[in-house]
Amino acid sequence: MGKPFFTDPVFLSYIEGEEFSPGLSIDLDFLPSEPHNSRQDTICEIVHGKKVLHIGCTDHLPIIDEKIKSGRHLHAALLDICEKVVGVDIDEESINHLIKNYNMSDIYNIDLVTTPKEKIPFLNDAPFDFAIMGEIVEHLDNPVEFLSKLRTEHGKLFKKLIVTVPNAFNYNVLKHWNRGNETINSDHRFWFSPYTITRVLSASGYNVESIQMGDVSQKMDIFSRALNRLFSIVGSPKRLRVPQRYGATVIVIASQQ
C-alpha cells in the first residue's frame, strides 16, 4: 500500500489551494485491499461503543420503512451499537415518522447551520466522539459553506467528523455510463472522488485522517460470477470483488483544524 496523498507534504499545497496543476495524478494504492462491503458496516465498526451525533439521521421518507425492515437504516443500526446517539434532521415529517412508528427518541428537527449554540437541546451531551454526515454533502447547494459553519458554530459538539459521499468512479455507475446513461439520485448536486472531498473538507477547515471505500461490487465476468455463486451456495462470505477504488461510497474521517 502506498502513502495516502492527504498525508503527503507534496500534495498539501494542492489540497490547500496554494498550488495548481491541470493534471494532478493521485496514487490510490493506499486504499485497503479488503474493504467492508457496505458503508453502514464500516461506519458502525468505527463508532461502536462511542457517543455519536448523527446529522441527517432520517433518510428519505418513502424508503425509511423498507430500510429499517431490511436492516439498512443507518440511524437504527447506530442505536444498537453506540453508547449514545443523538440525531438531527431538517425533515420534520420523517422525524415524526420515526418517533411515532419506531419510538425513537433523541432525534430533533434542527438545522445546525441556522440554530444558535444556546438553542441546541442536547448541548449537555457534548462533546460527541463523532459527528456523522452520511450521504448528505452531495445534496447541499454549498457544501463548503455548510461544513465551515458546522465547524465554526458547533465545532465543540464533536471531536471528529465522518463524511460519506458517492464515488464518481463507482463500478456500477461506470457500467451505466459506458452504455450512454447517467444513473443518479435526482436530488444530488455533485459526484465526488477521494481528492475532491478532501479538497472540500480542507477548504472548510478540516484535516482528513483516513479514507476508504464502501459498497464494493462483486466481479461480474463469467468466471467470477460462477465462483461467487459457489461461495454463496456453500455459505462462504468470500466474494471476488472489483478493486476498492471502484466502490460506490467514499468514507472519510476528518478532524477540525
Side-chain angles (χ1 to χ4, degrees):
M1 291 173 57
K3 184 176 184 179
F5 69 90
F6 47 86
T7 66
D8 191 334
V10 172
F11 289 97
L12 289 180
S13 58
Y14 296 102
I15 292 170
E16 294 171 359
E18 298 172 355
E19 298 285 346
F20 167 77
S21 169
L24 186 64
S25 180
I26 304 296
D27 188 348
L28 299 178
D29 282 348
F30 70 90
L31 292 171
S33 59
E34 295 295 333
H36 290 288
N37 195 38
S38 79
R39 168 182 71 102
Q40 181 168 304
D41 286 349
T42 304
I43 292 174
C44 286
E45 183 174 288
I46 294 169
V47 303
H48 192 281
K50 304 295 185 180
K51 292 174 58 179
V52 171
L53 173 62
H54 189 190
I55 302 168
C57 65
T58 62
D59 219 316
H60 300 288
L61 181 60
I63 61 176
I64 287 176
D65 293 335
E66 187 276 328
K67 279 198 166 185
I68 290 180
K69 183 179 179 180
S70 63
R72 296 183 297 109
H73 190 267
L74 178 57
H75 194 76
L78 293 173
L79 291 172
D80 288 336
I81 55 95
C82 293
E83 175 190 337
K84 174 77 175 181
V85 183
V86 170
V88 297
D89 205 295
I90 60 173
D91 187 341
E92 184 175 8
E93 188 176 5
S94 293
I95 288 280
N96 291 336
H97 181 78
L98 289 173
I99 293 173
K100 178 181 178 180
N101 295 288
Y102 296 98
N103 199 31
M104 289 190 183
S105 59
D106 287 332
I107 52 176
Y108 301 91
N109 179 215
I110 290 177
D111 185 336
L112 285 178
V113 169
T114 59
T115 302
K117 302 181 185 72
E118 60 272 14
K119 292 189 177 181
I120 297 295
F122 48 85
L123 193 61
N124 290 337
D125 293 314
F128 293 87
D129 298 301
F130 291 95
I132 298 174
M133 291 183 62
E135 310 299 288
I136 299 298
V137 176
E138 66 274 13
H139 294 270
L140 303 175
D141 289 326
N142 193 326
V144 172
E145 180 181 15
F146 181 94
L147 289 165
S148 296
K149 286 187 176 180
L150 176 66
R151 178 182 57 82
T152 57
E153 298 298 319
H154 301 296
K156 291 185 179 180
L157 287 177
F158 59 93
K159 298 175 183 177
K160 293 187 180 183
L161 177 66
I162 298 175
V163 173
T164 76
V165 288
N167 177 23
F169 303 101
N170 173 0
Y171 175 71
N172 291 314
V173 166
L174 291 178
K175 285 196 301 184
H176 290 287
W177 185 267
N178 288 334
R179 296 170 186 157
N181 300 306
E182 180 180 9
T183 302
I184 189 171
N185 181 311
S186 64
D187 193 51
H188 286 187
R189 275 73 161 167
F190 306 95
W191 286 108
F192 286 96
S193 70
Y195 179 82
T196 57
I197 188 59
T198 297
R199 189 76 174 82
V200 165
L201 285 165
S202 176
S204 307
Y206 299 85
N207 293 314
V208 169
E209 296 186 353
S210 72
I211 295 178
Q212 57 185 301
M213 311 298 260
D215 305 302
V216 177
S217 299
Q218 297 181 30
K219 288 186 176 181
M220 298 304 290
D221 59 273
I222 293 176
F223 172 78
S224 297
R225 289 171 68 179
L227 192 55
N228 285 337
R229 178 169 291 185
L230 177 61
F231 285 147
S232 178
I233 291 173
V234 301
S236 171
K238 293 182 179 179
R239 297 291 186 274
L240 296 182
R241 305 190 185 282
V242 299
Q244 189 179 139
R245 63 182 178 274
Y246 294 112
T249 309
V250 187
I251 303 169
V252 184
I253 300 178
S255 57
Q256 301 175 59
Q257 294 178 2

